[in-house]
Amino acid sequence: MSIQTKTMVSTERRKGPERRTDLRVGIDADVEWVLDGVRRPGHVSDMSMTGCFILTAGEFSDGEIVLIYFPHADGGRVEIRGEIRNNVPEIGFAVRFLSPTPFQQEFIRDFA
């Protein structure tokens, strides 16, 4: 598990309805994500209460549903389901969390 650091993220690359409006926090954390049953490595670069950006190689498209496995302080992982909302091939994708449970919301708040 990589050590995470927090920084404010202020650059706004995207505009309009696809833009996350929640405060984003810079994160430095390794994650795993699953698409079509295949688990892949990734790295979270920023996170908000509604989503995150995952740096990763691979092929993915807007609208696809992924499972993201975040490291938990107890050594386990927390799974959060999300939808790819913006992808940059071979760089990564932005994901919007889908209906996080109260436990997942608390985890996101503490993680970010």
Side-chain angles (χ1 to χ4, degrees):
M1 179 167 69
S2 105
I3 297 173
Q4 69 182 37
T5 58
K6 300 179 181 188
T7 58
M8 297 299 289
V9 177
S10 61
T11 56
E12 300 296 328
R13 187 177 67 79
R14 293 188 54 137
K15 306 250 187 269
E18 295 301 312
R19 186 85 203 121
R20 279 184 279 154
T21 57
D22 287 345
L23 174 66
R24 292 184 297 152
V25 177
I27 298 289
D28 181 24
D30 292 325
V31 296
E32 292 182 321
W33 59 279
V34 176
L35 176 63
D36 297 329
V38 179
R39 192 175 289 239
R40 300 171 174 102
H43 192 83
V44 175
S45 63
D46 73 65
M47 190 165 175
S48 71
M49 288 302 297
T50 57
C52 65
F53 193 88
I54 299 177
L55 298 168
T56 187
E59 295 184 27
F60 28 80
S61 300
D62 290 357
E64 291 184 299
I65 304 301
V66 295
L67 296 176
I68 306 164
Y69 294 88
F70 292 90
H72 192 274
D74 70 3
R77 299 231 176 230
V78 174
E79 174 187 303
I80 301 177
R81 190 169 157 258
E83 177 186 5
I84 296 175
R85 299 298 294 233
N86 175 32
N87 77 85
V88 183
E90 298 305 321
I91 293 176
F93 57 85
V95 67
R96 183 173 140 224
F97 301 136
L98 296 175
S99 303
T101 66
F103 170 79
Q104 291 169 329
Q105 290 174 356
E106 183 178 342
F107 173 82
I108 293 165
R109 187 173 22 261
D110 293 344
F111 197 80

